Amino acid sequence: MEYFYILEVLFIEKTFIYEKFYHVLDRESRLSKRFNPCLASAEEILGITEQIRCVAQSATVLRACATHHGLTKDKIAYESVSAHTNLVSAIVDRVLSYEYGPDFEKTEDGFNYREIMEVIRRHDLAENTTGDIPDNGARDEQAKLNDERRYLRLFAEQSPSRESDFEKRIKNLQNNMQKKCGFTGKLLYVADKIAATLMVLYYDSIDLPPVLDSCKPGLSDKELAEMKICKQKVPGRADTFYKASEMWAIDYFKIRKLYEYDTTGLVTAILIMSTIITNGKWYEWREEDYENGS
């Protein structure tokens, strides 16, 4: 049974989730001095999280041209780069509405809705040529940046001349996202990172958890460091396997501390809520951090 339906009918389940959510948010705000605790109610966060989970679920639904017209006999699709982009846009949309209201005109750093959504739509287009390279600390970030800039420059050159001012603002916001500066640049950066974790949490919820074997050759130092912290066991797998969802949560809260770029606190709140409704609990290693104060 889908968890979305369970949450709609079981008040006791919601009560447990709300209590756990407030506990984690409170402890997180005490521990992480640069974390801005979200001021929305648990009920609102749950609703937003379920909407985003529905968007994640749609990434796994095959189109009829693939099934009915013979391209595949698979029963499920796996997230494409474009599906990831769609998930990022859903997250950013909710944060913008939370921060400025549903009909805002410009963010505090001067970007409008179309500009923001266009930067999201373009942010991974270079992967059409490079593929999606894991963000595991081992990739050549400068080479990746050069490839992206080259691709995006050629893409922008195809716009009509009447879009010249628009393209200048797009480039400005792309730079802000890359540098993680300004309200909107930070939002796009952190939403991009958290979308990946929310997607693998959805896979966890349907018993298809993305995992990594610590015995796999060529693992990065960051991946190995994350594995040393992990507490979860993967059902049906050897003890050398670790869930991507837990590894990436460790990266978010402990290694790179990406929550520091979440200026509203809402993105982190969505991650906390999604984790609780997927696992029925919060991470043991983070609870230990609360107790240790580190």
Side-chain angles (χ1 to χ4, degrees), residues 118-254:
E118 184 64 12
V119 170
I120 293 171
R121 282 188 288 268
R122 296 185 191 187
H123 85 278
D124 277 341
L125 285 180
E127 292 175 6
N128 288 346
T129 58
T130 65
D132 185 12
I133 304 169
D135 181 16
N136 62 359
R139 68 189 182 188
D140 187 332
E141 294 294 340
Q142 188 58 53
K144 178 178 179 293
L145 180 60
N146 292 341
D147 288 337
E148 288 175 350
R149 285 176 173 170
R150 187 180 306 111
Y151 191 101
L152 292 173
R153 184 182 69 252
L154 293 172
F155 185 94
E157 288 173 358
Q158 308 310 309
S159 294
S161 59
R162 65 176 177 273
E163 297 276 11
S164 58
D165 289 340
F166 174 74
E167 288 297 337
K168 290 176 183 178
R169 294 191 295 273
I170 289 295
K171 186 176 181 180
N172 187 20
L173 182 50
Q174 287 169 337
N175 289 335
N176 287 0
M177 181 181 179
Q178 188 268 318
K179 294 176 181 177
K180 303 180 281 294
C181 66
F183 172 85
T184 311
K186 290 178 181 177
L187 170 58
L188 297 190
Y189 176 81
V190 77
D192 180 34
K193 298 305 178 186
I194 214 66
T197 307
L198 295 178
M199 189 68 222
V200 294
L201 279 168
Y202 176 74
Y203 286 133
D204 289 353
S205 74
I206 59 173
D207 296 323
L208 289 174
V211 298
L212 201 57
D213 187 350
S214 60
C215 298
K216 181 179 180 179
L219 294 177
S220 70
D221 290 342
K222 185 165 78 71
E223 288 168 331
L224 293 171
E226 291 163 359
M227 289 174 176
K228 288 181 179 179
I229 299 170
C230 285
K231 301 282 189 180
Q232 290 183 343
K233 301 296 182 183
V234 183
R237 297 292 190 103
D239 288 345
T240 57
F241 283 84
Y242 299 91
K243 289 184 177 181
S245 56
E246 185 174 17
M247 292 175 62
W248 296 351
I250 290 167
D251 182 42
Y252 187 83
F253 286 103
K254 290 178 71 72

Side-chain angles (χ1 to χ4, degrees), residues 64-95:
C65 64
T67 55
H68 186 68
H69 291 275
L71 292 179
T72 182
K73 294 182 180 179
D74 291 346
K75 301 300 181 182
I76 187 173
Y78 294 102
E79 185 192 35
S80 67
V81 169
S82 184
H84 161 75
T85 296
N86 189 50
L87 188 57
V88 174
S89 70
I91 296 166
V92 171
D93 176 271
R94 271 60 179 181
V95 176

Side-chain angles (χ1 to χ4, degrees), residues 13-29:
E13 200 75 45
K14 284 187 177 182
T15 302
F16 164 79
I17 288 169
Y18 294 164
E19 290 176 354
K20 192 65 178 176
F21 172 79
Y22 282 129
H23 161 78
V24 174
L25 205 65
D26 175 65
R27 300 302 294 274
E28 201 63 47
S29 63

Side-chain angles (χ1 to χ4, degrees), residues 35 53 59 66 89 108 114 129 136 203 213 234-235 237 244 276-278 283 287:
F35 170 64
R53 184 180 182 277
S89 70
E108 60 199 60
R114 185 195 172 205
T129 58
N136 62 359
Y203 286 133
D213 187 350
V234 183
R237 297 292 190 103
I276 292 171
I277 66 174
T278 299
Y283 292 115
E287 295 284 4

